[in-house]
Amino acid sequence: MYHLCTTAAFQTIYQKRKILDIRLNIKDFPSVGVTRFELATTRPPDAYSNRAELHPVAFRSANIVYFSQIVTFLQDFFLILSSMKRFALLIAVFFGFLASGCGSSATRSAADFTIEVYTPEYASGFDIRGRDKDAATLVTVRNPWQGAGNVEQHLLILREGAKAPAGLDAQVVKAPVRHVVCMSSSHVAMFDALGEVRRISGVSGIDYISNTYVNEHRYCGEVRDVGYDTNLNFELLASMRPDLVLLYGVTGENTVVTGKLRELGIPYIYVGDYMEESPLGKAEWLMVAAELCNVRDKGAETFRGIAARYNALKTRIAGAARSPRPKVMLNTPYRDTWFMPSSRSFMVRLIEDAGGEYVYTKNDSDTSVAVDLEEAYLLASAADTWINVGPCNTLAELTAQNPKFADVPAVRNRQVFNNNRRQTPAGGSDFWESGVIRPDLVLHDLCAVFNPQAADTAELYYYKPVSYTHLRAHETCADL
């Protein structure tokens, strides 16, 4: 096509281009320049990836000249081509190619990932699928907070040079992730169970985290506390540049947080482990962490071991459980309100699998319900055992909340147990951390409380008996 430059028509283009170059030097335009870009916000440049916007004032002037340039070029270009009949076929093929190229960029959906990579056996809130063309996988999270209906979120995990398809509505990360921020302590436990806890660079509420690695590396700055909920330290997050933030939701998406993370270009995904009704379903979420770390096989092996131990103990308890089953009361008042979990909740499932019977049968929803103190007192009075009594470490602390508790049979018979044996100085309980991933250990503790004859040992891991004095380190259920 070089010979086109020698045609008379090109001379016309050249003259008009000279006029256009003169226009570019008018006095209203010198502030624009060739690279006149500014960031869209006043935050430091290192807080963002390579995202910039044209200066708004300069762009208005530049737009007029640039548009004039395009119109002039297109007019002359098509003038030349229209006189070149021998290139008519070439032109048709060229524009046909452009049209087909545009058509190939059609948007993709999650339905394009049709290969089952991991389908949970116990969890209902996620699955992992792949596709034929590459090693990318798609994690789909469903209804990750209370009251959610038909909510789906997607996390595309790229590996081995795979590219994100155009138009896919998903957060995107590359595996293995190097730096992860965990907004729930249970997320920390997932990585720890896989031997991948070193990938955690940030947590929420570090004083309430029991994990040894996190506590050892907080002082050298390798693990940072990023704050809580809408009070997240976004400046810190921007400087950390994590590969992914794992969120949790209570009643819905926190759009303040997710909007800011999108602005910062930080991928995120909601993890709905706490919504699972099955104890093993909660633990199975460690497979999401395994997928992020490229240790899928190790994750499957780890979870199979947990499930095997849990189910073996559950079977043994079923054959040796007391009859009638001991009735179990849960929780203590919170600001004059007593919240009782659903009979479908994971905690009630643990009670039943350990050979106990939940004392409250009115709630079969997917959330806890509030009952008045009088009804709660009657329920406690009907229970043989009382567990999960909040911050109480002694029966004196429990009865200080309400003197009437001293008359409850479980208190009189010293059958009160709390799940805070493993606790940080600030009050964070490892029951809500590693206990989420080790329901087999939790089940053993409850078996030792309700049906000690079926337990391997009376030693407790997460639970401790609540007595009138603080429990000494060597004491167990057998000492009561």
Side-chain angles (χ1 to χ4, degrees), residues 37-326:
F37 292 93
E38 288 187 3
L39 286 169
T41 100
T42 57
R43 287 185 179 274
D46 64 342
Y48 296 90
S49 56
N50 298 324
R51 293 183 291 118
E53 294 183 0
L54 280 166
H55 189 281
V57 176
F59 183 73
R60 286 196 295 270
S61 300
N63 190 40
I64 297 172
V65 176
Y66 182 64
F67 178 76
S68 176
Q69 180 183 7
I70 291 175
V71 171
T72 302
F73 173 76
L74 289 177
Q75 287 175 341
D76 294 330
F77 179 70
F78 284 106
L79 178 64
I80 295 171
L81 291 182
S82 64
S83 65
M84 298 170 60
K85 295 180 180 180
R86 62 195 182 93
F87 289 103
L89 179 60
L90 178 61
I91 294 170
V93 173
F94 175 71
F95 283 101
F97 174 76
L98 288 179
S100 64
C102 293
S104 66
S105 62
T107 59
R108 304 293 181 181
S109 70
D112 294 326
F113 290 79
T114 57
I115 299 175
E116 290 189 13
V117 173
Y118 187 84
T119 301
E121 183 177 354
Y122 301 93
S124 60
F126 79 94
D127 64 39
I128 305 172
R129 290 172 289 155
R131 57 186 181 181
D132 288 321
K133 62 181 295 185
D134 54 38
T137 51
L138 188 73
V139 177
T140 298
V141 174
R142 298 180 182 85
N143 300 329
W145 49 72
Q146 295 180 22
N150 299 319
V151 173
E152 278 195 356
Q153 295 186 344
H154 304 289
L155 178 66
L156 178 63
I157 304 176
L158 302 177
R159 52 176 65 83
E160 299 177 14
K163 303 294 184 182
L168 179 65
D169 183 16
Q171 298 289 308
V172 182
V173 297
K174 291 183 178 179
V177 292
R178 299 165 302 164
H179 305 294
V180 179
V181 172
C182 299
M183 294 303 295
S184 171
S185 59
S186 64
H187 306 161
V188 175
M190 294 174 192
F191 286 88
D192 188 56
L194 299 167
E196 301 290 338
V197 70
R198 69 187 185 282
R199 300 185 187 276
I200 297 175
S201 61
V203 297
S204 176
I206 201 166
D207 291 334
Y208 299 90
I209 303 295
S210 299
N211 185 267
T212 301
Y213 174 90
V214 169
N215 282 286
E216 288 178 350
H217 289 78
R218 62 183 296 185
Y219 299 108
C220 61
E222 292 183 9
V223 181
R224 310 290 296 276
D225 191 339
V226 300
Y228 297 92
D229 300 327
T230 53
N231 293 320
L232 287 181
N233 188 336
F234 290 108
E235 297 285 353
L236 176 59
L237 276 171
S239 67
M240 291 168 60
R241 294 182 178 274
D243 298 317
L244 181 67
V245 176
L246 300 179
L247 301 172
Y248 74 92
V250 179
T251 58
E253 178 179 351
N254 189 329
T255 54
V256 173
V257 171
T258 57
K260 197 65 179 178
L261 291 177
R262 284 194 297 269
E263 182 183 335
L264 294 173
I266 299 175
Y268 64 86
I269 191 69
Y270 274 88
V271 177
D273 59 304
Y274 88 100
M275 288 294 296
E276 299 290 345
E277 297 173 355
S278 162
L280 288 173
K282 295 170 75 71
E284 199 166 13
W285 276 81
L286 68 82
M287 289 301 302
V288 174
E291 193 70 16
L292 291 167
C293 299
N294 271 356
V295 291
R296 188 186 303 154
D297 291 342
K298 183 176 182 180
E301 180 183 2
T302 300
F303 178 69
R304 280 196 300 268
I306 294 169
R309 290 188 294 272
Y310 185 99
N311 287 324
L313 179 56
K314 175 183 174 181
T315 300
R316 188 165 76 244
I317 294 170
R322 294 160 50 189
S323 182
R325 292 186 169 212

